[in-house]
Amino acid sequence: MRNAAGADRPSMLGRAMRLLAGFRAGEPEVSLAELARRSGVAKPTAHRLLGELETWSMVERTPGGYRLGLRAFELGQVVPRQRDLQESAMPILTDLHEATRETVHLAVPDGADVIYLQKLSVAGGPRLPSRLGGRMPAHCTGVGKVLLAFGPPQLLDAALERGLVRCTPRSVTAPGLLAERLAEIRARGHAEEYEESAPGVACVAAPVLGPDGIAVAALSITGWSTRFAPARVVPAVRTAALGLSRVLGWGGAPRDAVR
């Protein structure tokens, strides 16, 4: 939809989606004013759209604003790919977590970002920016770099089109350097990340391949950068990712064949 000046303007559905995207994990409620600010939707329009979403139980009104409703939860539970992936991955993630005594993640791509479907934390580990259901720029994380290296080309295109944001001073923000790093990851079969997503954090990640040999998810092991030893955990994360790939139907074609 375009306004009178010819600029693109989101549809009512688009504005409703922006409002829903304004909710964040760990917040019991969000005020109308804050949702309008986060979404860029005018406050009167936000109020009207939230009223409609409330009639569909997508949101619920609270004393201080709004929270996501039961219908949103129900819809999340019937997303087939993520649900099947989580169910298949959970025994493997649990074994990996117990074997390494480090934090483990399961993530999937979403445009230029990764979304964390599962996170098993460990006491005494570093403070991580990842959270269940949260997202991070793909190029700043181990799981994201694996997905950029072994996933479909449009993921890298999306990251470059948005721009390589800097999460820490060590984040890769030059497209040429990122291309070199991704080539190295493809050659060795896993990614390593040192303080590119957060200070004090290091991780090793490996791709989870679908039946066509393209990465559909990634597994990672994360710990303190000062004591993290990739050589100790690389075999474990690669074995776990390979096991999940087999469960998902990957037939074992050489990885060079997927590029």
Side-chain angles (χ1 to χ4, degrees), residues 40-255:
V41 176
K43 191 173 178 179
T45 303
H47 182 266
R48 178 166 58 82
L49 288 174
L50 287 166
E52 293 185 28
L53 290 169
E54 185 181 9
T55 64
W56 289 93
S57 298
M58 291 296 291
V59 301
E60 297 175 355
R61 195 184 300 269
T62 66
Y66 297 86
R67 65 186 178 192
L68 288 175
L70 286 177
R71 184 57 179 156
F73 172 78
E74 291 170 351
L75 289 173
Q77 298 308 299
V78 298
V79 178
R81 188 183 73 171
Q82 283 83 353
R83 185 188 61 203
D84 293 345
L85 180 59
Q86 284 178 289
E87 291 176 353
S88 299
M90 200 58 205
I92 294 172
L93 290 172
T94 301
D95 288 346
L96 187 62
H97 181 252
E98 293 177 352
T100 62
R101 299 298 178 184
E102 300 282 9
T103 297
V104 301
H105 292 102
L106 170 69
V108 294
D110 184 32
D113 295 329
V114 295
I115 296 178
Y116 293 92
L117 295 187
Q118 192 54 264
K119 176 181 179 180
L120 302 182
S121 301
V122 63
R127 184 174 181 179
L128 304 176
S130 59
R131 60 175 175 80
L132 192 61
R135 62 176 61 229
M136 286 283 292
H139 69 282
C140 291
T141 67
V143 288
K145 287 192 288 185
V146 156
L147 290 166
L148 293 177
F150 292 98
Q154 55 263 36
L155 297 182
L156 180 57
D157 293 341
L160 295 175
E161 181 178 352
R162 185 177 68 182
L164 304 178
V165 298
R166 188 183 299 278
C167 295
T168 75
R170 294 195 175 189
S171 300
V172 176
T173 58
L177 180 56
L178 178 62
E180 292 178 9
R181 296 282 176 84
L182 296 181
E184 293 170 0
I185 290 168
R186 283 191 289 270
R188 65 176 179 241
H190 69 274
E192 298 179 13
E193 181 248 307
Y194 287 89
E195 299 188 327
E196 294 179 48
S197 61
V201 174
C203 88
V204 170
V208 176
L209 306 178
D212 57 1
I214 302 296
V216 296
L219 299 182
S220 72
I221 301 174
T222 305
W224 288 102
S225 60
T226 52
R227 63 173 179 80
F228 200 69
R232 179 178 68 87
V233 296
V234 163
V237 73
R238 291 191 64 173
T239 299
L242 175 61
L244 184 53
S245 299
R246 300 283 192 191
V247 171
L248 297 180
W250 179 57
R255 285 201 172 111

Side-chain angles (χ1 to χ4, degrees), residues 7-18:
D8 289 329
R9 187 178 65 184
S11 64
M12 280 298 182
L13 177 59
R15 279 176 271 188
M17 292 301 296
R18 286 185 178 182

